[in-house]
Amino acid sequence: METGGAILHPISYQLKMARDWCIEILEICPAESVDVQLKAFNNTIRWQTGHILSVAERMLFHVPPSTGMLPSAFTKWFDSGSRPSDWVEQPPSLTELITMLRSQQKRILDIAPEEFDSILDAPYYGFSNYGEIAGFVIVHEAFHVGQIVAMMRA
């Protein structure tokens, strides 16, 4: 599990793989599809992308939704239960979101491998150690990328 000459922890490698796949898919997404809300889906490709960012930020960096490396409006735009039809401000463009995904990925890859074994002082969203949180982020991101692919094919 090597990348750029460095050997990654298996969890770091999976986080990288999920994020690389996400960015690859988004880079081929037709611009006219980004904000189309199809009847079969509750949201849009732009929403899916922001949601991936928002959840990874909250879970991996343990920050309240209103702080951290993402704009404070991310909570209103991209939290579970939010929807594009409720947006009163314009969220970042897909290009801006892809840039944020890359920036966040760099921070994710800087997580020390031993952190994945650390037991949390108190459960966080029901998880008792950091590796469980990272595993959830991997599955969550893969699920939402699958939704994006389905939206692009519809």
Side-chain angles (χ1 to χ4, degrees):
M1 289 175 264
E2 213 174 296
T3 178
I7 295 177
L8 293 177
H9 183 281
I11 293 174
S12 298
Y13 183 78
Q14 294 295 316
L15 286 161
K16 180 183 180 334
M17 204 166 75
R19 183 56 55 92
D20 286 348
W21 181 43
C22 179
I23 292 169
E24 259 180 55
I25 295 299
L26 291 169
E27 286 179 331
I28 62 169
C29 179
E32 63 274 7
S33 300
V34 172
D35 292 313
V36 173
Q37 185 164 347
L38 303 167
K39 288 182 183 180
F41 298 96
N42 294 331
N43 43 54
T44 64
I45 291 170
R46 187 192 314 222
W47 184 91
Q48 295 282 344
T49 307
H51 182 69
I52 288 167
L53 271 161
S54 183
V55 169
E57 188 74 20
R58 181 177 321 119
M59 299 304 288
L60 292 173
F61 300 107
H62 302 285
V63 295
S66 62
T67 64
M69 303 302 280
L70 300 175
S72 60
F74 258 62
T75 303
K76 292 184 293 189
W77 293 325
F78 304 119
D79 261 5
S80 295
S82 65
R83 59 185 138 190
S85 59
D86 293 339
W87 292 345
V88 291
E89 302 171 310
Q90 187 67 19
S93 69
L94 185 62
T95 301
E96 292 169 317
L97 290 170
I98 291 170
T99 299
M100 290 177 187
L101 286 166
R102 283 191 177 103
S103 176
Q104 188 182 63
Q105 183 181 41
K106 288 177 186 161
R107 293 171 45 235
I108 288 170
L109 294 176
D110 284 341
I111 297 169
E114 57 274 9
E115 286 297 314
F116 296 119
D117 295 324
S118 33
I119 304 298
L120 305 174
D121 293 334
Y124 188 73
Y125 287 93
F127 300 109
S128 60
N129 73 50
Y130 197 62
E132 291 173 357
I133 290 172
F136 169 78
V137 169
I138 294 163
V139 171
H140 180 266
E141 187 151 342
F143 171 80
H144 284 281
V145 171
Q147 293 291 94
I148 291 168
V149 169
M151 290 175 173
M152 287 170 60
R153 289 184 179 159

